[in-house]
Amino acid sequence: MNTLTRRNFLQSSLLSTAAVLGGPSLAVHAATPPKARVVVIGGGYGGTIAAKYLQMSDPEIRVTLIEKDSAYVSCPLSNEVLGGERDLASLTFDYRGLTRRGIAVMQDTVVEIDPVQHFVTGASGNRYNYDKLIVSPGVDYDWAAIEGMSEAVAEKIPHAWKAGKQTQILRRQLEAMEDGGVFYIVAPPNPFRCPPGPYERAAQVAHYFSTHKPKSKIVILDAKDAFSKQALFQAGWEEHYGDMIEWVSGAQGGIIEAIDPETRTLMGSFEEFKGDVINLIPHQKAGALAQTAGLANESGWCPVDQRTFESSIHKDIHVIGDACIAGAMPKSGYSANSQGKVCAAAIVAAINGEAAPAPSYVNTCYSIIAPEHGISVAGVYRLEDGRIVDIPGAGGVSPADADARTRALEQQFALDWFRNITSDMFT
Amino acid sequence: MPRPTWSRALCVGLLIGTFPSLPLHAEEIRSESMLANTCAGCHGTLGASAGEVMPTIGGLDKGYLVEVLTDYKTGRRPSTIMGRIMLGYGDQEINAIASFYAAQPWVSTDRVAVADQLAEAPALHERYCESCHQDGGRSQDKESPRMAGQWAGYLQYAMQACRDGERCHPRKMRNRVADLSDAEIAALAHFYESQK
C-alpha cells in the first residue's frame, strides 16, 4: 500500500505547481492556500464540465483536471467521419481554454486511487491530494462476452466506440471494401454508451455507400429486440437508403456469441455471418479505473447517490458520466454534461458547509440520418425518492410525421448541439 | 384496478382546495443556476451560443424569455425540441430560468459584416424593423428581443418562420416581414449579426 510521506506530498505540490506555471491563475494558487482541493479524473464530456463549473461557482477551490491525452477527440459526431462528411480534426479539442480559467490541467494516467488517505497516483509518479475526487472514466469493454474478441483483435475488427484511431481503422476498411460487400454492425446489449449510436452509424455508412458503393449491404446484428428512436430510424433508413440497411433483432438471431477474426465470421445463436467489414461494438462496463478503484458493483457500473453522484462505495469520491448508474438517464454526452454540473454544485455546497441543492437534469441527443435529416430525443429529470426519474409528459422523440423543413432544422440543430456542448466543455 | 381510498381522495381534495398553487408532488425548490445550467449544453455557457441556428439567450429581456419559454410549453410557439423540454418545468421554474439568463451579460458573435450582403440592409432596417428594434437592434423589451450581435442563422430562421406563418412573436411581426424576400431576410440577419 501507498503511504503518504511528507516528502511525497511536497514533491507533488511542487510538480503540480511547475506544470501550470504558465497559467494566469497561479498567483492565486500560490498566494493563498485553497479553500479545498478537488481533483477531477477524465477530460471528456463529464470531467471537463465538472472542473469548469466548480471553478466558476467557487474560484477559491483549487481544481485539478487529470487527463491521459493532450487532446480530446469527441465520440459524438464521429459517425460523420465514417460517413465521409467530416474529419477527425473537426472533433479534436485541447485543454487550453480550461487552463486559462485557472484549472490545473495535468496530462497523466491515474494508476491508483487511495480512498482512505485521499490521494491519487499518476503513472508519472506524481501524487494528487484531494478533499473531493470526481471520476469520469467513461466505458470499458467486456471482451470475454464474445468468444474470440480481445483488445488486440479490435485492431482488425474495430469497435470505433471511442473516437480517434479506432474511427480511422473502420473508415479505411469501409473505403477499401468492394462495391457489393456486406458490412456488419454488431450492436451491444443494454446498458451501453450512446444508445442511438449504432443505428445512426448504419445511416451514415449507408450515406457513404449510396454514393460510392451502391450495391453494398449493411446488416445490424443486435443483442436487443428494440432500440432508441427505433421507428424514426427505420423510417429514415427506408426513405433515404431503401433496403440497404437490415436490422436483425436478438430474437431473430442477432445475438453474437463468437467471432473468427481471421475469416471475419460471426457466430450467432442460429447461423453464421461472414462479412467484408465488421464493426463489433463490445458489451460495456464502467471505465477501467472505476473497476480497479473498486467503484463498480457486480453490474460492472458505479452505484452513486443520485443527488450528488457521490459513490455509494467510497466516501468523497464522485462518479459521473457513462460509468455511473444514474436512474432514468441514458449514457450520453449530454447526460454527462448535466451530471457534471449537478455534481459540481453538490461539491461546492459540501465544501461551504451547505446541504446538497435540489438537482435538475436534462438529456438531449441528436442523430443525423442524412445530410438534411436530423432526429432528436430529449429527457427532463428530477430526483424522486433518491432516484433520477423522468418528469412525466416532458421529453420524448421527434414527431414521426415531421415535415422536411423540420428534419432539416433538426440536422442543423445537431451540428449546433455539438458546437455548443464542446464550447461548454473547452472554453 | 385498485380503488382510491376515501381518506386519500379527501386528503388530495383538501390540499388542492386549500393551496391551489401547490404542485402535485412535494418537491424541493431548484435554484436558478441549477435549472438554467442544464440549457448551456445547447445554448452555450451562461447562454452565450457558439452558433449558428442556436440563439444566444444570455442577456435577453426577462419578460421576453418568460413569454417565449411559456409559449414553447403550451405549444403556442411551435418548435422542434423546445416544446418537449419546457413541458418539464413549472411556471416558477420558467421564471427562475428567465431570471438567470436575463441577468447574464450579452455576448455578441464575433462575426463581421460582409459588405455586399449588407448594401440594402440599413434601409430595410429603417423601413421595416426600427420602430420596435431600435438602436440598430440593440434595444429590447418584452416584445422585441435584442438582435444586434445575435447569430444570423437564428435570425434568418426566425424571420422566415414568421413570414411563412409558422410562428411570430408578437403577431404584429408578421405584417413587417410578410413582403420580405429570402435575400432581404438574409441581408437583415447578417446586418444585425454584425452590430455589436
Side-chain angles (χ1 to χ4, degrees):
Chain A
M1 277 306 292
N2 285 294
T3 49
L4 180 62
T5 63
R6 183 168 171 78
R7 186 166 166 272
N8 280 333
F9 177 86
L10 284 173
Q11 193 176 37
S12 114
S13 304
L14 287 170
L15 277 171
S16 306
T17 305
V20 293
L21 257 173
S25 65
L26 185 69
V28 179
H29 284 164
T32 51
K35 186 190 275 180
R37 296 155 304 176
V38 181
V39 172
V40 183
I41 305 173
Y45 276 76
T48 53
I49 290 295
K52 172 171 156 176
Y53 279 76
L54 274 166
Q55 204 281 332
M56 276 169 59
S57 47
D58 190 342
E60 290 174 44
I61 296 173
R62 179 171 185 172
V63 183
T64 303
L65 174 65
I66 308 174
E67 161 57 38
K68 63 180 174 11
D69 296 318
S70 60
Y72 183 74
V73 185
S74 168
C75 215
L77 255 67
S78 66
N79 281 334
E80 283 215 330
V81 176
L82 302 176
E85 290 290 306
R86 64 168 63 233
D87 57 21
L88 279 173
S90 71
L91 304 178
T92 305
F93 300 86
D94 66 48
Y95 294 94
R96 282 178 295 192
L98 294 181
T99 305
R100 275 195 291 273
R101 284 183 176 270
I103 295 163
V105 182
M106 307 299 290
Q107 192 184 340
D108 203 348
T109 302
V110 171
V111 292
E112 195 179 358
I113 297 171
D114 187 327
V116 178
Q117 300 194 64
H118 284 56
F119 69 87
V120 165
T121 311
S124 64
N126 216 345
R127 288 191 178 190
Y128 308 90
N129 303 293
Y130 67 82
D131 298 302
K132 301 279 183 188
L133 177 67
I134 301 175
V135 184
S136 189
V139 296
D140 201 0
Y141 306 114
D142 180 8
W143 299 112
I146 294 178
E147 197 188 326
M149 260 325 278
S150 67
E151 195 168 356
V153 170
E155 298 287 312
K156 191 177 165 189
I157 309 287
H159 52 73
W161 218 239
K162 291 180 188 178
K165 189 180 159 206
Q166 277 279 313
T167 317
Q168 273 170 334
I169 295 173
L170 183 53
R171 172 68 190 169
R172 286 193 191 121
Q173 291 184 1
L174 292 167
E175 283 171 349
M177 192 185 90
E178 304 238 336
D179 190 11
V182 181
F183 169 48
Y184 284 106
I185 298 173
V186 180
N190 293 323
F192 66 103
R193 159 181 284 180
C194 190
Y199 315 97
E200 183 198 51
R201 174 166 293 180
Q204 284 292 328
V205 174
H207 169 64
Y208 166 63
F209 281 173
S210 60
T211 46
H212 293 80
K213 307 164 198 239
K215 288 183 286 197
S216 308
K217 288 279 292 177
I218 299 166
V219 182
I220 304 168
L221 299 169
D222 210 325
K224 305 176 291 300
D225 292 330
F227 60 88
S228 171
K229 310 181 205 170
Q230 183 167 347
L232 293 171
F233 271 117
Q234 289 178 321
W237 292 342
E238 199 188 332
E239 179 186 338
H240 297 284
Y241 312 115
D243 58 0
M244 184 181 273
I245 301 170
E246 182 191 347
W247 176 66
V248 182
S249 71
Q252 291 167 325
I255 296 170
I256 296 305
E257 292 164 353
I259 182 170
D260 178 357
E262 294 310 315
T263 60
R264 297 187 193 277
T265 305
L266 296 157
M267 270 66 89
S269 34
F270 306 147
E271 55 181 312
E272 295 187 352
F273 307 91
K274 195 169 179 328
D276 295 289
V277 178
I278 295 174
N279 168 217
L280 191 150
I281 304 163
H283 297 219
Q284 291 166 33
K285 58 185 179 181
L289 181 65
Q291 310 291 340
T292 56
L295 291 163
N297 65 17
E298 66 289 347
S299 73
W301 305 98
C302 303
V304 295
D305 175 345
Q306 294 179 17
R307 175 188 290 268
T308 62
F309 293 92
E310 184 172 19
S311 166
S312 315
I313 299 169
H314 290 303
K315 197 175 174 314
D316 295 326
I317 301 180
H318 298 242
V319 185
I320 58 172
D322 293 340
C324 75
I325 299 168
M329 296 184 86
K331 298 190 183 302
S332 72
Y334 208 103
S335 288
N337 175 293
S338 191
Q339 291 160 10
K341 291 166 184 173
V342 170
C343 176
I347 287 177
V348 168
I351 287 170
N352 288 289
E354 295 159 11
S360 175
Y361 327 75
V362 170
N363 175 53
T364 66
C365 166
Y366 286 91
S367 304
I368 301 173
I369 293 180
E372 294 203 334
H373 189 149
I375 55 173
S376 62
V377 62
V380 190
Y381 312 89
R382 68 173 172 227
L383 194 70
E384 208 171 282
D385 301 326
R387 193 172 179 276
I388 298 170
V389 297
D390 272 301
I391 295 179
V397 298
S398 309
D401 58 355
D403 58 17
R405 182 165 170 166
T406 302
R407 299 286 193 229
L409 252 181
E410 288 225 279
Q411 189 265 342
Q412 287 183 287
F413 282 136
L415 302 183
D416 281 1
W417 177 100
F418 180 71
R419 285 192 185 97
N420 277 290
I421 202 164
T422 52
S423 92
D424 205 20
M425 294 162 70
F426 293 106
T427 65
Chain B
M1 200 178 134
R3 281 190 301 174
T5 59
W6 276 112
S7 60
R8 183 184 292 171
L10 198 65
C11 183
V12 170
L14 276 176
L15 268 176
I16 290 172
T18 320
F19 309 105
S21 62
L22 267 188
L24 282 174
H25 294 270
E27 284 170 44
E28 302 169 282
I29 293 171
R30 302 188 286 186
S31 72
E32 284 183 8
S33 62
M34 177 62 77
L35 290 162
N37 282 336
T38 65
C39 312
C42 287
H43 287 280
T45 306
L46 305 180
S49 174
E52 307 229 349
V53 189
M54 211 75 87
T56 285
I57 55 174
L60 286 180
D61 180 79
K62 184 184 169 183
Y64 171 78
L65 287 168
V66 167
E67 206 158 291
V68 165
L69 294 176
T70 306
D71 286 353
Y72 277 134
K73 182 179 174 178
T74 61
R76 188 164 172 240
R77 184 178 170 95
S79 64
T80 57
I81 199 169
M82 282 303 297
R84 283 180 265 157
I85 292 172
M86 292 320 296
L87 281 166
Y89 301 96
D91 294 347
Q92 291 304 313
E93 292 177 325
I94 286 176
N95 199 61
I97 293 169
S99 284
F100 180 89
Y101 282 112
Q104 303 307 321
W106 174 267
V107 181
S108 292
T109 75
D110 52 10
R111 292 277 171 86
V112 292
V114 179
D116 59 341
Q117 268 176 339
L118 299 184
E120 56 178 340
L124 289 169
H125 163 69
E126 267 176 47
R127 182 164 168 206
Y128 291 103
C129 317
E130 197 180 21
S131 61
C132 295
H133 297 280
Q134 290 158 12
D135 191 19
R138 285 174 200 83
S139 72
Q140 60 172 338
D141 57 31
K142 187 178 175 180
E143 296 213 311
S144 316
R146 180 186 172 117
M147 300 198 292
Q150 182 61 279
W151 289 94
Y154 168 73
L155 293 172
Q156 207 165 331
Y157 158 64
M159 282 188 270
Q160 278 173 351
C162 178
R163 182 194 62 188
D164 301 345
E166 282 173 33
R167 67 181 209 196
C168 279
H169 178 94
R171 293 197 175 186
K172 66 182 178 189
M173 253 288 280
R174 181 89 195 273
N175 301 327
R176 297 308 185 114
V177 295
D179 300 328
L180 294 176
S181 67
D182 282 348
E184 287 170 328
I185 285 177
L188 278 169
H190 287 99
F191 167 74
Y192 292 122
E193 184 184 58
S194 70
Q195 303 295 301
K196 309 296 174 193

